[in-house]
């Protein structure tokens, strides 16, 4: 079955540590996205990538970094510079960026808790 | 900039009640509009979408009509079930070639037997 996988489902981190969240898709989609979700809030875009070896900052990129070395993978690193990292992180993908009806497909999410 | 406003939740309904979740938007050009649903502990799933004015999106008994004159995309269902309990997000995508979905804050729906 095609889809997006995120691991781990739950992640705990000590303050001051970097942590990397995994996102893999087998949909052969070109574009991938990382969102952050906080309680009672909508989703906010952290980073997105249109093609391999290219990515752009979203609305809240500070304290985060990404890489896109392979089409199917888009890992997110939450660095110690992120002041309030406890949140639910969602990865998504689309076939491409063009077109008005592009549907974003979401992974199951990773819940990060900083202790 | 673009924005989406949803009715505040939580919403609690009895099974078989009628559901309306209001959504209005502000956008440049002619956006595409979406409703996503998030079940507890999961990611988002597309529920329905509409890409131009007067289009009606529908899925699983849910419907929403793209109203350009009122800049609205209200979600409706005639008879809700316990399994519809989830958080519902309205979102828009502005114009061709756009990449960034703008989400509302979500409306939590609880359906009780």
């Amino acid at each position: 079955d095609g889809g997006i996988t995120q691991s781990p489902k739950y992640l705990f981190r000590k303050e001051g540590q970097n942590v990397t969240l995994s996102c893999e898709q087998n949909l052969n989609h070109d574009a991938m996205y990382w969102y952050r979700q906080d309680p009672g809030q909508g989703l906010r875009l952290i980073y997105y990538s249109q093609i391999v070896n290219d990515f752009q900052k979203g609305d809240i990129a500070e304290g985060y970094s990404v890489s896109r070395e392979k089409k199917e993978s888009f890992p997110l690193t939450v660095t110690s510079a992120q002041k309030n990292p406890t949140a639910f992180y969602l990865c998504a993908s689309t076939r491409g960026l063009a077109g008005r009806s592009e549907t974003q497909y979401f992974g199951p999410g990773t819940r990060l808790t900083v202790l | 900039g673009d924005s989406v406003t949803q009715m505040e939740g939580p919403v609690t309904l009895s099974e078989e009640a009628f559901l309306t979740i209001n959504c209005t938007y502000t956008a440049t050009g002619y956006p595409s509009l979406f409703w996503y649903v998030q079940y507890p502990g999961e990611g988002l799933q597309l529920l329905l979408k509409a890409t131009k004015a007067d289009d009606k999106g529908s899925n699983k008994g849910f419907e929403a009509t793209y109203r350009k004159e009122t800049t609205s995309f209200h979600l409706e269902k005639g008879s809700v079930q316990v399994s519809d309990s989830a958080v519902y997000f309205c979102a828009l995508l502005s114009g061709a070639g756009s990449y960034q979905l703008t989400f509302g804050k979500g409306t939590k729906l609880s359906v009780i037997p």
Side-chain angles (χ1 to χ4, degrees), chain A residues 94-112:
Chain A
T94 53
R95 187 178 52 195
L97 290 184
R100 298 183 65 246
S101 63
E102 279 294 342
T103 298
Q104 289 199 10
Y105 294 86
F106 285 81
T110 292
R111 186 166 299 281
L112 172 64

Side-chain angles (χ1 to χ4, degrees), chain B residues 92-105:
Chain B
L92 70 83
L93 187 68
S94 279
S98 183
Y99 57 87
Q100 184 169 344
L101 277 172
T102 300
F103 286 89
K105 291 187 176 182

Side-chain angles (χ1 to χ4, degrees), chain B residues 7-113:
Chain B
M7 62 186 288
E8 298 265 337
V11 174
T12 302
L13 295 174
S14 297
E15 209 165 18
E16 300 184 2
F18 184 85
L19 168 71
T20 299
I21 300 178
N22 290 338
C23 171
T24 57
Y25 67 89
T26 303
T28 53
Y30 301 95
S32 295
L33 300 173
F34 304 81
W35 276 101
Y36 280 86
V37 58
Q38 184 179 35
Y39 297 102
E42 298 184 7
L44 276 67
Q45 302 172 26
L46 178 68
L47 182 59
L48 52 84
K49 66 181 181 184
T51 58
K52 60 183 188 295
D54 300 325
D55 266 3
K56 178 186 281 188
S58 61
N59 186 26
K60 299 181 181 179
F62 291 89
E63 292 182 340
T65 301
Y66 187 162
R67 301 284 188 203
K68 187 170 180 295
E69 63 276 12
T70 54
T71 61
S72 65
F73 193 54
H74 305 321
L75 183 68
E76 296 182 336
K77 187 175 186 183
S79 176
V80 294
Q81 305 301 313
V82 172
S83 58
D84 294 327
S85 298
V87 180
Y88 292 82
F89 291 93
C90 185
L92 70 83
L93 187 68
S94 279
S98 183
Y99 57 87
Q100 184 169 344
L101 277 172
T102 300
F103 286 89
K105 291 187 176 182
T107 302
K108 184 176 181 179
L109 169 67
S110 297
V111 180
I112 54 178

Side-chain angles (χ1 to χ4, degrees), chain A residues 4 8-9 12 15-16 19 30 42 45-46 49 51 53-54 61 68 70 80 85 91 93 96 101 103 111-112:
Chain A
I4 301 176
K9 189 171 178 65
F12 298 89
E15 239 179 287
V19 64
D30 288 316
L45 184 66
I46 305 172
S49 168
I51 56 172
N53 293 323
D54 182 67
R68 187 88 187 275
K70 298 185 296 183
S80 56
C91 180
S93 71
S101 63
T103 298
R111 186 166 299 281
L112 172 64

Side-chain angles (χ1 to χ4, degrees), chain A residues 11-30:
Chain A
L11 189 56
F12 298 89
R13 187 194 92 176
K14 291 183 180 179
E15 239 179 287
Q17 289 181 337
N18 293 354
V19 64
T20 297
L21 282 59
S22 168
C23 177
E24 304 276 333
Q25 54 98 0
N26 61 2
L27 299 167
N28 199 32
H29 283 175
D30 288 316

